[in-house]
Amino acid sequence: MPDLSWLYDLVGRALPLECMQQRFMQQALIALVLLAPMTASLGVQVVNFRMAFFSDAISHSAFAGIALGLILSLDAHLAMAGFAALVGLGIVAVGRRTTLSMDAVIGVFFSAAIAFGLAIIKREPGLSRDIQKYLFGDILTITDAEIVSLAGMLLVLMVFEAVGYNRMLYVALNPALAAAHRIRSRIYQYIFAGLLSVVAIFSVWTVGVFLVTAMLIVPAAAGRNFARSAGGMFWWALAIAVSSAIAGLLISAQPWARTATGATVVLCATVWFIVSMLPRLWRKG
């Protein structure tokens, strides 16, 4: 495991606030700054693909992932990420091979994952107490190993976006045009589903099951309102997500606030969305 103390010291000097001199706050800030670009960039494609329900299904599969980890004696984080990836890839695979709407396919997987998780949790009464940290998230308990995992995941995702962002945009807007340009939409959809699934589970650790979809959707939606191009939407979403993550962490640490960090991050992003809507509301008024 690499020594990250130099990075924590850098954060403490860059933000000379009392709350940011604590190691767990420095770890939380770094984790949020790594996670925010991932949720923002994938959120752009979630909005373009109209897949908000998909991300909701993936986040709720955390219940089943934890249950699977219990059965197989696996680490809860690894079990959640692996199970979420299987659910995401399964949704895409079944959706491509059936005449059902994608919403219907997602609904089936969503229901099955929650039912499986709840059945196991009900069977193991002691587990229900531990499940609350996954419902609400706790970025303040993140470890060095998880930060390194986030950094690796961010690198993989940025490579994918650099190669596939325009191709994914073609697939989202006009599949026939994508096929005409010889874009292998199936491969990109599978990769996207797998990445989204893993990032959604990372987000569960941070903001909890209930707010994962908000982490993906709100910055992207605000970015679309601000931007004048598809590329502009991407960069606006990144800026909004990162600024909301930093502001949310700092606000939640203040004695006058004492709010949940994940919820405060989402609220900061929501403020951005409201600001992005003001010009439209003004013109219509």
Coordinates of all heavy atoms in Angstrom, one line a residue, residues 30-63:
I30 N -10.2 13.8 -0.3 CA -9.5 13.1 -1.5 C -10.4 12.1 -2.1 O -10.6 12.1 -3.4 CB -8.2 12.5 -1.0 CG1 -7.2 13.5 -0.6 CG2 -7.6 11.6 -2.1 CD1 -6.0 13.0 0.1
A31 N -11.1 11.3 -1.3 CA -12.1 10.3 -1.9 C -13.2 11.0 -2.7 O -13.5 10.6 -3.8 CB -12.6 9.5 -0.7
L32 N -13.7 12.1 -2.1 CA -14.8 12.8 -2.8 C -14.3 13.4 -4.1 O -15.0 13.4 -5.2 CB -15.4 13.9 -1.9 CG -16.4 13.3 -0.9 CD1 -16.7 14.5 0.1 CD2 -17.6 12.8 -1.5
V33 N -13.1 14.0 -4.1 CA -12.6 14.6 -5.3 C -12.3 13.5 -6.4 O -12.3 13.8 -7.6 CB -11.3 15.4 -5.0 CG1 -10.5 15.8 -6.2 CG2 -11.7 16.6 -4.2
L34 N -12.0 12.3 -6.0 CA -11.8 11.2 -6.9 C -13.1 10.7 -7.4 O -13.2 10.4 -8.6 CB -11.0 10.1 -6.3 CG -9.5 10.4 -6.0 CD1 -8.9 9.2 -5.1 CD2 -8.7 10.5 -7.2
L35 N -14.1 10.6 -6.6 CA -15.4 10.0 -6.9 C -16.2 11.0 -7.7 O -16.9 10.5 -8.7 CB -16.1 9.6 -5.7 CG -17.5 8.9 -5.9 CD1 -17.3 7.6 -6.6 CD2 -18.2 8.7 -4.5
A36 N -16.2 12.2 -7.4 CA -17.1 13.2 -8.1 C -16.9 13.2 -9.6 O -17.9 13.2 -10.3 CB -16.9 14.6 -7.5
P37 N -15.7 13.2 -10.2 CA -15.6 13.2 -11.6 C -16.2 11.9 -12.3 O -16.7 12.0 -13.4 CB -14.1 13.3 -11.9 CG -13.5 13.9 -10.6 CD -14.4 13.4 -9.5
M38 N -16.1 10.8 -11.5 CA -16.6 9.6 -12.1 C -18.1 9.6 -12.1 O -18.7 9.2 -13.1 CB -16.1 8.4 -11.2 CG -14.6 8.1 -11.3 SD -14.2 6.5 -10.6 CE -14.1 6.9 -8.9
T39 N -18.8 10.0 -11.1 CA -20.2 10.1 -11.1 C -20.7 11.1 -12.1 O -21.7 10.9 -12.7 CB -20.8 10.4 -9.7 OG1 -20.2 11.7 -9.2 CG2 -20.4 9.3 -8.7
A40 N -20.0 12.2 -12.2 CA -20.4 13.3 -13.2 C -20.3 12.8 -14.6 O -21.2 13.0 -15.4 CB -19.5 14.5 -12.9
S41 N -19.2 12.2 -15.0 CA -19.0 11.8 -16.3 C -20.0 10.7 -16.7 O -20.6 10.7 -17.8 CB -17.5 11.3 -16.6 OG -17.2 10.2 -15.7
L42 N -20.1 9.7 -15.8 CA -21.1 8.7 -16.1 C -22.5 9.2 -16.1 O -23.4 8.8 -16.8 CB -21.0 7.5 -15.1 CG -19.7 6.6 -15.3 CD1 -19.6 5.6 -14.2 CD2 -19.8 5.9 -16.7
G43 N -22.8 10.2 -15.2 CA -24.1 10.8 -15.1 C -24.5 11.5 -16.4 O -25.7 11.5 -16.7
V44 N -23.6 12.0 -17.1 CA -23.9 12.7 -18.4 C -24.5 11.6 -19.3 O -25.5 11.8 -20.0 CB -22.6 13.3 -19.0 CG1 -22.9 13.7 -20.5 CG2 -22.2 14.5 -18.2
Q45 N -23.9 10.4 -19.4 CA -24.4 9.4 -20.2 C -25.6 8.8 -19.7 O -26.5 8.3 -20.4 CB -23.3 8.3 -20.4 CG -22.2 8.8 -21.4 CD -20.8 8.3 -21.1 OE1 -20.6 7.7 -20.1 NE2 -19.9 8.6 -22.0
V46 N -25.8 8.7 -18.3 CA -27.0 8.2 -17.8 C -28.2 9.1 -18.2 O -29.3 8.7 -18.6 CB -26.9 8.2 -16.2 CG1 -28.3 8.0 -15.6 CG2 -26.0 7.0 -15.8
V47 N -28.0 10.5 -18.2 CA -29.0 11.4 -18.6 C -29.3 11.3 -20.1 O -30.4 11.2 -20.5 CB -28.6 12.9 -18.3 CG1 -29.5 13.9 -18.9 CG2 -28.6 13.1 -16.8
N48 N -28.2 11.1 -20.9 CA -28.4 11.0 -22.4 C -29.1 9.7 -22.7 O -29.9 9.7 -23.7 CB -27.0 11.1 -23.1 CG -26.5 12.5 -23.1 OD1 -27.2 13.5 -22.9 ND2 -25.1 12.6 -23.2
F49 N -28.8 8.6 -22.0 CA -29.4 7.3 -22.3 C -30.8 7.2 -21.6 O -31.4 6.2 -21.7 CB -28.5 6.2 -21.8 CG -27.4 5.8 -22.8 CD1 -26.1 6.2 -22.6 CD2 -27.8 5.1 -23.9 CE1 -25.2 5.8 -23.5 CE2 -26.8 4.7 -24.8 CZ -25.5 5.0 -24.7
R50 N -31.1 8.2 -20.7 CA -32.4 8.1 -19.9 C -32.3 6.8 -19.1 O -33.3 6.0 -19.1 CB -33.6 8.1 -20.8 CG -33.7 9.4 -21.6 CD -34.9 9.4 -22.5 NE -35.1 10.6 -23.2 CZ -34.5 11.0 -24.3 NH1 -33.7 10.1 -24.9 NH2 -34.7 12.2 -24.9
M51 N -31.3 6.6 -18.3 CA -31.0 5.4 -17.5 C -31.0 5.6 -16.0 O -30.3 5.0 -15.3 CB -29.7 4.7 -18.0 CG -29.8 4.2 -19.4 SD -28.2 3.4 -19.9 CE -28.2 2.0 -18.8
A52 N -31.8 6.6 -15.5 CA -31.8 6.9 -14.1 C -32.2 5.7 -13.3 O -31.7 5.4 -12.2 CB -32.6 8.1 -13.8
F53 N -33.2 5.0 -13.8 CA -33.8 3.8 -13.2 C -32.7 2.7 -13.1 O -32.6 2.0 -12.1 CB -35.0 3.3 -13.9 CG -35.8 2.3 -13.1 CD1 -35.8 2.2 -11.8 CD2 -36.5 1.3 -13.9 CE1 -36.5 1.2 -11.1 CE2 -37.3 0.4 -13.2 CZ -37.2 0.3 -11.8
F54 N -31.9 2.6 -14.1 CA -30.8 1.7 -14.1 C -29.8 1.9 -13.0 O -29.5 0.9 -12.2 CB -30.0 1.8 -15.5 CG -28.9 0.8 -15.6 CD1 -29.0 -0.4 -16.2 CD2 -27.6 1.1 -15.1 CE1 -28.0 -1.3 -16.4 CE2 -26.5 0.3 -15.3 CZ -26.7 -1.0 -15.9
S55 N -29.4 3.1 -12.8 CA -28.5 3.4 -11.7 C -29.2 3.2 -10.3 O -28.5 2.7 -9.3 CB -28.0 4.9 -11.7 OG -29.1 5.8 -11.7
D56 N -30.5 3.4 -10.2 CA -31.2 3.1 -9.0 C -31.2 1.6 -8.7 O -31.0 1.2 -7.5 CB -32.6 3.6 -9.1 CG -33.2 4.2 -7.8 OD1 -32.4 4.6 -7.0 OD2 -34.4 4.2 -7.7
A57 N -31.4 0.8 -9.7 CA -31.4 -0.7 -9.6 C -30.0 -1.1 -9.1 O -29.9 -2.0 -8.2 CB -31.8 -1.3 -10.9
I58 N -28.9 -0.6 -9.7 CA -27.6 -1.0 -9.3 C -27.3 -0.6 -7.9 O -26.8 -1.5 -7.1 CB -26.6 -0.3 -10.3 CG1 -26.7 -0.8 -11.7 CG2 -25.1 -0.6 -9.8 CD1 -26.6 -2.2 -11.9
S59 N -27.7 0.6 -7.5 CA -27.4 1.0 -6.1 C -28.1 0.1 -5.1 O -27.6 -0.3 -4.0 CB -27.7 2.4 -5.9 OG -29.1 2.7 -6.0
H60 N -29.3 -0.3 -5.4 CA -30.1 -1.1 -4.5 C -29.6 -2.6 -4.5 O -30.0 -3.3 -3.6 CB -31.6 -1.0 -4.8 CG -32.2 0.2 -4.3 ND1 -32.1 1.4 -4.9 CD2 -33.0 0.5 -3.2 CE1 -32.8 2.4 -4.2 NE2 -33.3 1.8 -3.2
S61 N -28.9 -2.9 -5.5 CA -28.3 -4.3 -5.5 C -27.2 -4.5 -4.4 O -26.8 -5.6 -4.2 CB -27.7 -4.6 -6.9 OG -26.5 -3.9 -7.1
A62 N -26.9 -3.3 -3.8 CA -25.9 -3.4 -2.6 C -26.5 -4.4 -1.6 O -25.7 -5.1 -0.9 CB -25.7 -2.0 -2.0
F63 N -27.8 -4.4 -1.4 CA -28.4 -5.3 -0.4 C -28.0 -6.7 -0.7 O -27.5 -7.5 0.1 CB -29.9 -5.2 -0.4 CG -30.4 -3.9 0.2 CD1 -31.0 -3.0 -0.6 CD2 -30.2 -3.6 1.6 CE1 -31.5 -1.8 -0.1 CE2 -30.7 -2.4 2.1 CZ -31.3 -1.5 1.3

